[in-house]
Amino acid sequence: MGFQLEICSFNLASAMVAQGAGADRIELCASPAEGGVTPSPGTIRGAREQLRIALYPIIRPRGGDFLYSDEEFQVMLRDIEYCKQVGCNGVVIGMLCADGTVDQARCARLVEAAYPLGVTFHRAFDWAANPFEAMETIIQLGCERILTSGQRPTAAEGVSLIDQLVREADDRIVIMPGSGIRSGNIVSLAEKTGASEFHTSARLLKASATDYVNAHMKESQDFFMAGEEEIKKIKEQLLTFES
């Protein structure tokens, strides 16, 4: 079947860890608290220079909903152009209309702007009013894959819809489960969905190495990093299941 594992990396160090642990593709993001937004140009360029595996930065100008202003849309077009200039393999997009349908007209412009890069439609899909209609629209747009948790908080909770989507897609587009995927549930999800690609951040909270801490400051200086051993375990589980 040839399972593929995509790692959502929130910094360059995580992307490098993921590559070393056997990831097949990196979704590069910033700001995990917002669910991922477009990383800085410097981060994108640095990742492209150092990664040998496929690199797909997310094109999302802010957190929150997926209804974007004309100004935000122009930012998205410029970010896609930059990703093309530095040699990314693809981008990750998603736009909706207020009624929960895919913003077909503007997504088509993003896909066109990205060509010949690949395009993934991100978890904006999980807020679509009708997932099957949304999938057909996304197929028409020419996207390669849809990242989804089955319109539930985690892929394990949305497994039934993911299975239905995989069947309905019938190899016309990749349905890639994501959210809450770990080594402990990856085989079960593969069995129950028939999916061939999976998405996870495999993240852990890394303690700050600073020696001095200002006692008056309340914010944590800890940060998220990809868990190397967890990624290796997920890959091992997939390889064992495949064989």
Side-chain angles (χ1 to χ4, degrees):
M1 184 176 290
F3 289 112
Q4 296 282 301
L5 180 63
E6 176 179 277
I7 301 298
C8 177
S9 299
F10 291 103
N11 49 57
L12 179 55
S14 288
M16 298 303 295
V17 166
Q19 175 175 261
D24 300 290
R25 183 173 57 248
I26 298 296
E27 182 197 41
L28 191 63
C29 304
S31 191
E34 294 182 281
V37 299
T38 306
S40 72
T43 301
I44 296 172
R45 180 180 289 275
R48 182 65 290 168
E49 290 173 350
Q50 298 189 51
L51 292 174
R52 304 180 305 276
I53 59 177
L55 174 64
Y56 279 58
I58 193 169
I59 306 299
R60 188 181 179 208
R62 57 164 172 78
D65 64 28
F66 305 100
L67 314 176
Y68 298 115
S69 68
D70 290 341
E71 291 78 11
E72 288 170 330
F73 182 65
Q74 290 303 314
V75 169
M76 296 170 82
L77 289 170
R78 294 187 186 105
D79 286 338
I80 287 174
E81 183 59 34
Y82 181 79
C83 290
K84 290 174 67 174
Q85 289 174 4
V86 299
C88 295
N89 303 93
V91 293
V92 182
I93 69 165
M95 296 182 70
L96 300 178
C97 299
D99 62 359
T101 59
V102 174
D103 188 339
Q104 187 169 3
R106 293 203 291 178
C107 282
R109 289 184 61 191
L110 295 179
V111 172
E112 180 181 8
Y115 183 82
L117 276 57
V119 179
T120 298
F121 196 96
H122 59 52
R123 287 185 64 212
F125 178 85
D126 288 326
W127 277 263
N130 186 314
F132 296 100
E133 287 183 6
M135 182 180 71
E136 294 301 328
T137 299
I138 295 166
I139 290 171
Q140 292 172 21
L141 289 169
C143 294
E144 295 175 305
R145 68 184 58 81
I146 297 170
L147 170 61
T148 178
S149 57
Q151 298 204 327
R152 295 293 186 271
T154 67
E157 294 171 275
V159 68
S160 177
L161 178 57
I162 295 171
D163 174 53
Q164 294 177 62
L165 289 165
V166 170
R167 293 174 187 273
E168 189 69 24
D170 194 25
D171 294 327
R172 294 176 297 154
I173 193 169
V174 173
I175 302 298
M176 180 171 62
S179 183
I181 292 180
R182 308 292 289 189
S183 57
N185 62 15
I186 186 69
V187 170
S188 174
L189 286 166
E191 289 176 332
K192 292 177 179 178
T193 65
S196 60
E197 298 190 12
F198 296 90
H199 170 101
T200 179
S201 64
R203 67 189 184 186
L204 51 83
L205 194 62
K206 184 176 178 61
S208 170
T210 185
D211 292 323
Y212 172 74
V213 176
N214 184 344
H216 299 288
M217 300 298 294
K218 303 300 181 182
E219 296 90 348
S220 171
Q221 291 188 295
D222 299 342
F223 58 96
F224 287 114
M225 273 288 294
E228 181 177 9
E229 293 306 313
E230 177 65 7
I231 296 170
K232 288 180 178 179
K233 287 179 183 177
I234 293 172
K235 286 289 291 188
E236 289 169 2
Q237 293 278 9
L238 288 173
L239 287 171
T240 301
F241 178 65
E242 187 177 5
S243 62

